[in-house]
Amino acid sequence: MSNGAFANGDAAPQTHTPSQRYLSTRGEDTGFSFEDVVLKGLANDGGLYIPEELPTASDWQSWKDLPFNEIAYNVLSLYISPSEIPAEDLKDIVNRSYATFRSEDVTPLINLQDNIHLLELFHGPTFAFKDVALQFLGNLFEYFLVRRNEGKTGRDRYHLTVVGATSGDTGSAAIYGLRGKKDVSVFMLHPKGRVSPIQELQMTTVLDSNVHNLAVTGNFDNCQDIVKALFADPEINATHKLGAVNSINMARILAQITYYFYSYFALLRQQPETFKLGDKVRFSVPSGNFGDILAGYFAYRMGLPVEKLVIATNENDILDRFFKTGRYEKKPAYGAAAEGGLEKDGVKAHEDGVKETLSPAMDILVSSNFERLLWFLAYEFASSAGMDDEWNKKQAGQEVSSWLNDLKSKGGFGVYKDVLEAGRRNFHSERVSDQETLDTIKSLYKEVGYVLDPHTAVGVEAARRAVKIFSANTHTISLSTAHPAKFAGAVEQALKDEEGFDFEAKVLPEEFVGLDKREKRVRDVANDWEAVREVVREQVEEEFKAAGY
Ligand SMILES: *Cc1c(COP(=O)(O)O)cnc(C)c1O
């Protein structure tokens, strides 16, 4: 498999993999179709799906003047066989997915300071980067369901019941991706009173009849446990087809590859003096579940010249600890959790040891998509022994299985030096504390007048450190994952003492004004998975009746 090779300037014809198939990171199972992968989410052996072959975009340089949608199509068509989704259909899905964005560029790039640039990913319906993936995923679901339901009527139709837990961002982006879609119901569980006011309003003001907001008396972990119990329950699985939209869905990763290419080309247009086609760029990515930055790794493997992918974590720093030590360990970020307390010295930690930070969308104990990178690193290691490809793939799957088993049974695992070194060739990690996050918001506001959201600030601080560690001449694209108005608390905390700072005038988008006066639809439920199961049944039944089924 090739990596950053890009020297040849001739645009070779685009290599359409005749039939791109997928395999599980943990097993010997191969040959899954893209449709299976999208609708199932997680493989039967507990692994995650990855492409059997990472495609090379041999003509990527010829994409440089294309609009976002066409780059998206070119990227996706390397992963999705035309026999599964014909070209015209895929183009249509892509076009509809990004027509909902407020910026003509979809994901505009702006210069922040010196050689640091911000890739604004928050111009979608819910003002966070997850829209880039979930607008696409919603349309994909619809496409597959329409096809499966051709000629079927009433209760014979394949009806998908999406169930998810959210602490904020995923929920609203998933709801906006699925609202009004035929043959899909979506149930989104959030901890009652524990998501930010804007995020709660974004979810509960969506009134489409297929959208069901459930406010659980409990915390986020309780919501997640309920969702897990439902997926494990034979009864509901016998009557309802449950679907997931969480960040392990392969389609979400694929949709995120586009903006790595797109921003590279935007930089060419904006910095013609210092940045030429073929030059390397650095990306800094505020990371939680490792989905966003994994898309950057795929872009690199496809041929994009990337110097480093900087993983920016908050105080939930399992990824940073891995890249520093070679050990991937659940060790709680805050000791209180280990002692069973939820609050100590005013710092909150969840029961499982996740710390509540100012960048809540990155508050994780383990990063679910990291397993995918581990597979690629294990595969590279196996390949260095020079056996045949099938053997190497099996070997990688066994390695990943045993690591993940150790994570479950022993709370962690270590990898060989060669594996760690392979990871470090492409990745660098930085951990940014809450205080450093606030300082970064403050300093960028003072220096250039730009207001960063706290997640983006974590990325920018990591980008600034990387400039000092690596070359300052290399341009750094720092991913901006949310609009600052979504995280008003942290922004106000950082900027309250700045003279003349007025949140409403400076930050609040017009779309958020008056949201609190709109009609809401939300149902309170107890922290009891069987009660939630009852609500799911009842409400799907109601939808069927309303549709005349
Ligand atoms: C989800 C999210 C992240 C983390 O992205 P991962 O793909 O989980 O690494 C960062 N910032 C914001 C605002 C998010 O919503």
Side-chain angles (χ1 to χ4, degrees):
M1 278 189 216
S2 88
N3 46 31
F6 55 88
N8 112 51
D10 330 318
Q14 182 146 334
T15 40
H16 280 278
T17 320
S19 67
Q20 178 67 269
R21 310 296 280 185
Y22 290 80
L23 55 79
S24 161
T25 49
R26 287 198 204 170
E28 302 184 0
D29 280 355
T30 58
F32 295 99
S33 71
F34 180 68
E35 181 168 343
D36 282 345
V37 162
V38 170
L39 292 179
K40 278 196 62 184
L42 194 71
N44 285 337
D45 57 11
L48 308 187
Y49 295 114
I50 48 171
E52 286 189 2
E53 304 295 337
L54 274 186
T56 306
S58 46
D59 61 344
W60 70 272
Q61 298 194 346
S62 69
W63 303 350
K64 71 181 170 57
D65 297 317
L66 297 179
F68 186 95
N69 289 5
E70 290 183 36
I71 295 175
Y73 168 75
N74 286 347
V75 166
L76 293 164
S77 64
L78 293 172
Y79 290 90
I80 306 168
S81 306
S83 59
E84 278 202 70
I85 305 183
E88 286 315 307
D89 292 355
L90 184 57
K91 281 182 189 165
D92 178 57
I93 293 171
V94 166
N95 290 341
R96 282 188 290 115
S97 300
Y98 301 117
T100 56
F101 279 62
R102 293 176 303 279
S103 164
E104 209 182 308
D105 292 339
V106 183
T107 60
L109 183 76
I110 59 147
N111 179 255
L112 184 65
Q113 189 176 49
D114 305 322
N115 279 348
I116 298 182
H117 311 267
L118 266 193
L119 175 56
E120 293 184 343
L121 301 174
F122 55 72
H123 296 278
T126 75
F127 293 78
F129 98 98
K130 290 189 171 65
D131 287 327
V132 179
L134 283 160
Q135 287 289 304
F136 175 68
L137 186 63
N139 286 318
L140 261 186
F141 276 162
E142 181 178 56
Y143 178 81
F144 289 137
L145 291 174
V146 165
R147 193 159 67 184
R148 286 187 178 205
N149 286 330
E150 234 171 88
K152 291 191 183 150
T153 53
R155 297 195 181 214
D156 284 343
R157 297 178 72 84
Y158 189 102
H159 186 94
L160 194 67
T161 303
V162 168
V163 187
T166 184
S167 54
D169 268 8
T170 304
S172 53
I175 286 170
Y176 273 79
L178 294 170
R179 64 185 297 184
K181 300 266 188 269
K182 206 171 159 58
D183 299 318
V184 189
S185 309
V186 51
F187 290 84
M188 199 47 71
L189 282 66
H190 70 265
K192 186 177 162 74
R194 296 195 191 199
V195 297
S196 86
I198 280 289
Q199 290 183 322
E200 183 173 335
L201 287 168
Q202 282 185 307
M203 293 193 281
T204 58
T205 54
V206 175
L207 303 177
D208 301 68
S209 60
N210 72 327
V211 172
H212 309 277
N213 280 292
L214 305 182
V216 178
T217 318
N219 60 23
F220 174 61
D221 304 319
N222 301 139
C223 296
Q224 269 191 318
D225 288 342
I226 293 172
V227 171
K228 278 188 202 151
L230 289 171
F231 274 94
D233 173 44
E235 248 181 71
I236 189 91
N237 277 287
T239 52
H240 293 67
K241 293 175 184 75
L242 298 189
V245 290
N246 46 18
S247 77
I248 54 159
N249 198 300
M250 191 62 215
R252 285 182 60 176
I253 312 281
L254 299 183
Q256 291 164 0
I257 297 171
T258 305
Y259 48 71
Y260 285 89
F261 281 97
Y262 184 77
S263 60
Y264 183 95
F265 300 136
L267 198 55
L268 283 179
R269 291 188 282 273
Q270 293 176 14
Q271 306 289 331
E273 295 303 318
T274 56
F275 191 66
K276 310 274 188 230
L277 195 59
D279 284 354
K280 287 191 179 178
V281 72
R282 182 186 302 139
F283 289 97
S284 179
V285 187
S287 294
N289 270 326
F290 206 75
D292 201 0
I293 197 163
L294 185 73
Y297 177 71
F298 278 28
Y300 160 75
R301 293 288 303 266
M302 291 167 75
L304 192 70
V306 177
E307 178 228 53
K308 276 284 185 250
L309 293 160
V310 179
I311 303 165
T313 80
N314 64 23
E315 293 172 40
N316 293 292
D317 58 355
I318 186 166
L319 291 166
D320 183 58
R321 284 184 281 117
F322 174 82
F323 280 93
K324 296 220 153 72
T325 65
R327 283 199 63 80
Y328 194 73
E329 271 179 334
K330 275 187 194 168
K331 189 182 89 180
Y334 187 70
E339 291 154 31
L342 284 186
E343 194 156 352
K344 189 174 161 186
D345 306 331
V347 181
K348 281 188 210 153
H350 292 262
E351 276 159 55
D352 63 0
V354 178
K355 187 186 167 185
E356 270 183 37
T357 71
L358 294 173
S359 41
M362 292 155 39
D363 288 350
I364 45 90
L365 191 67
V366 297
S367 294
S368 42
N369 282 296
F370 192 58
E371 177 167 345
R372 289 190 161 111
L373 178 67
L374 286 171
W375 188 91
F376 288 105
L377 297 178
Y379 173 71
E380 196 178 319
F381 182 66
S383 306
S384 64
M387 304 293 280
D388 71 278
D389 195 51
E390 204 181 316
W391 186 88
N392 297 337
K393 283 180 172 151
K394 273 191 181 156
Q395 196 63 22
Q398 283 171 11
E399 203 70 81
V400 170
S401 274
S402 94
W403 286 332
L404 272 293
N405 280 340
D406 283 354
L407 181 67
K408 200 170 178 188
S409 62
K410 301 179 196 154
F413 61 86
V415 300
Y416 316 115
K417 192 163 145 279
D418 291 17
V419 169
L420 179 61
E421 273 168 15
R424 283 179 180 160
R425 269 200 294 282
N426 300 128
F427 292 92
H428 171 78
S429 74
E430 288 291 338
R431 170 194 196 268
V432 177
S433 70
D434 269 356
Q435 188 54 52
E436 290 163 334
T437 304
L438 293 172
D439 292 346
T440 305
I441 296 175
K442 208 170 178 156
S443 89
L444 266 301
Y445 180 70
K446 277 192 166 145
E447 290 163 30
V448 299
Y450 191 99
V451 180
L452 299 169
D453 107 282
H455 305 79
T456 306
V458 169
V460 168
E461 169 58 14
R464 286 174 143 188
R465 292 183 198 167
V467 166
K468 290 186 195 132
I469 299 168
F470 306 104
S471 144
N473 295 328
T474 302
H475 288 278
T476 306
I477 295 175
S478 201
L479 275 54
S480 173
T481 51
H483 189 287
K486 286 197 87 166
F487 299 95
V491 171
E492 293 198 85
Q493 195 180 333
L495 300 181
K496 62 182 186 307
D497 297 329
E498 295 307 305
E499 212 172 307
F501 176 74
D502 177 350
F503 185 82
E504 292 197 1
K506 185 90 191 143
V507 180
L508 203 65
E510 57 180 271
E511 287 85 347
F512 287 2
V513 179
L515 205 54
D516 54 337
K517 299 195 178 61
R518 289 228 222 121
E519 189 182 340
K520 282 170 233 159
R521 204 157 71 89
V522 56
R523 179 161 171 170
D524 288 342
V525 291
N527 176 18
D528 169 358
W529 76 270
E530 285 172 307
V532 172
R533 184 176 65 183
E534 224 20 69
V535 171
V536 170
R537 280 191 186 133
E538 202 180 281
Q539 304 223 339
V540 171
E541 184 60 31
E542 241 173 64
E543 276 186 64
F544 281 174
K545 288 213 173 111
Y549 297 169

